[in-house]
Amino acid sequence: MNRVVEPEILDDLKPDDPRAIRARRDLQRINWWMGNARLIARSLQKTFTQRPPVRIVEIGTGDGTHLLRVAEKLPWASQPLELTLIDREPAIEKGTLEQYAKLGWHVQVIASDVFEWLKTNQPSDCIIANLFLHHFSEEQLRFIFSQAAAQTRCFIGCEPLRANRVFWTCRLMPLIGIGEVALNDAYISTRAGFCDQELSRLWPDNKEWILHEGVAGMGSHLFVAKKCE
Ligand SMILES: C[S@@+](CC[C@H](N)C(=O)[O-])C[C@H]1O[C@@H](n2cnc3c(N)ncnc32)[C@H](O)[C@@H]1O
């Protein structure tokens, strides 16, 4: 099945549009079903075995709640951390920021196109992308990866798996109450998702990085790039 990248409805809705609010709530449930928070938390634990990261960046953060679900699964979540949340249209509620503050995480929300932000070259321990990379063409992904490789030492991407069985799962989504916008975007995301070693092939070709990529959880495709110490 060839990869096809098409615009998603949510990307064109203003954060306060009721359809966007509903779709973001649906996305939280889809993330839960896919087990993406668990997959990312596990990757973080496997990567940061000596000492926890002090600066994490999430690109395409949406409502910013997904990393809270990740934090709940991390043994070192109560350690102070600098978290930068980036989105073209951030939709982060005050309550979400309060929950990060309770953990002792210092959060900076940046409304920016990811391509512009990456050019500002901000060092971090880890860049995380959840249900985000599939928005982009191979050429755009090459740019994101080359910029990321120059400013972080770990990159984790958790994306839709492009496989027939995931399309079947999309068909079942109305049964768990997923609305029209998130359902439409789920089909589009799956067609734009990844399989095999598609993301590894786009990572800058050098020997400094250890790459892991493959099927994970319920319909996810996990990519982890770790810089050799
Ligand atoms: C499918 S949502 C995923 C949101 C979140 N990561 C989650 O799992 O709930 C994709 C997000 O990417 C953002 N986005 C799309 N293109 C972008 C770009 N070029 N730069 C920054 N954010 C972008 C959208 O605004 C949207 O919030």
Side-chain angles (χ1 to χ4, degrees):
M1 194 191 318
N2 287 336
R3 181 164 184 254
V4 181
V5 180
E6 290 170 296
E8 295 177 27
I9 296 176
L10 179 58
D11 291 337
D12 285 331
L13 299 177
K14 287 282 154 210
D16 57 355
D17 184 314
R19 288 182 303 157
I21 294 167
R22 166 79 195 272
R24 290 196 192 280
R25 209 170 299 138
D26 287 345
L27 255 182
Q28 291 178 10
R29 295 165 72 200
I30 291 172
N31 268 317
W32 186 84
W33 278 99
M34 292 175 83
N36 289 347
R38 180 176 44 83
L39 296 171
I40 292 173
R42 202 187 288 156
S43 302
L44 282 168
Q45 277 181 265
K46 278 191 193 159
T47 304
F48 295 92
T49 49
Q50 307 294 323
R51 59 185 170 88
V54 292
R55 179 149 196 242
I56 291 183
V57 172
E58 189 187 22
I59 51 177
T61 191
D63 66 9
T65 58
H66 188 251
L67 277 195
L68 276 175
R69 305 289 84 82
V70 174
E72 282 164 3
K73 295 167 179 52
L74 294 169
W76 40 260
S78 57
Q79 304 217 12
L81 194 140
E82 296 283 321
L83 177 64
T84 307
L85 300 174
I86 295 158
D87 200 286
R88 212 164 44 182
E89 292 274 9
I92 302 165
E93 290 179 4
K94 201 165 146 250
T96 304
L97 295 174
E98 284 166 0
Q99 288 183 61
Y100 281 117
K102 268 191 207 152
L103 286 174
W105 290 19
H106 179 260
V107 178
Q108 189 186 16
V109 178
I110 298 183
S112 169
D113 186 277
V114 72
F115 297 96
E116 293 308 314
W117 184 81
L118 282 167
K119 285 183 204 160
T120 64
N121 203 11
Q122 311 283 330
S124 65
D125 294 312
C126 184
I127 297 181
I128 297 175
N130 185 64
L131 302 183
F132 179 61
L133 300 175
H134 67 273
H135 284 80
F136 305 110
S137 67
E138 287 197 1
E139 195 188 338
Q140 290 173 313
L141 289 169
R142 268 206 189 86
F143 177 83
I144 292 175
F145 286 177
S146 68
Q147 295 287 321
Q151 51 196 273
T152 193
R153 52 195 187 99
C154 172
F155 186 100
I156 302 173
C158 196
E159 295 296 315
L161 173 69
R162 194 172 80 254
N164 278 330
R165 69 178 168 90
V166 182
F167 284 111
W168 280 103
T169 313
C170 292
R171 287 187 189 186
L172 301 177
M173 282 183 183
L175 300 180
I176 58 160
I178 299 300
E180 199 187 325
V181 171
L183 183 62
N184 171 84
D185 289 356
Y187 280 109
I188 290 179
S189 305
T190 305
R191 272 195 293 275
F194 302 96
C195 58
D196 304 324
Q197 299 299 299
E198 286 176 337
L199 290 170
S200 301
R201 284 198 282 271
L202 303 174
W203 192 260
D205 185 20
N206 69 47
K207 306 276 176 289
E208 281 188 300
W209 291 87
I210 300 166
L211 307 182
H212 292 285
E213 178 169 10
V215 178
M218 290 269 293
S220 300
H221 183 81
L222 186 67
F223 170 69
V224 182
K226 183 187 173 192
K227 200 168 194 173
C228 302
E229 295 294 335

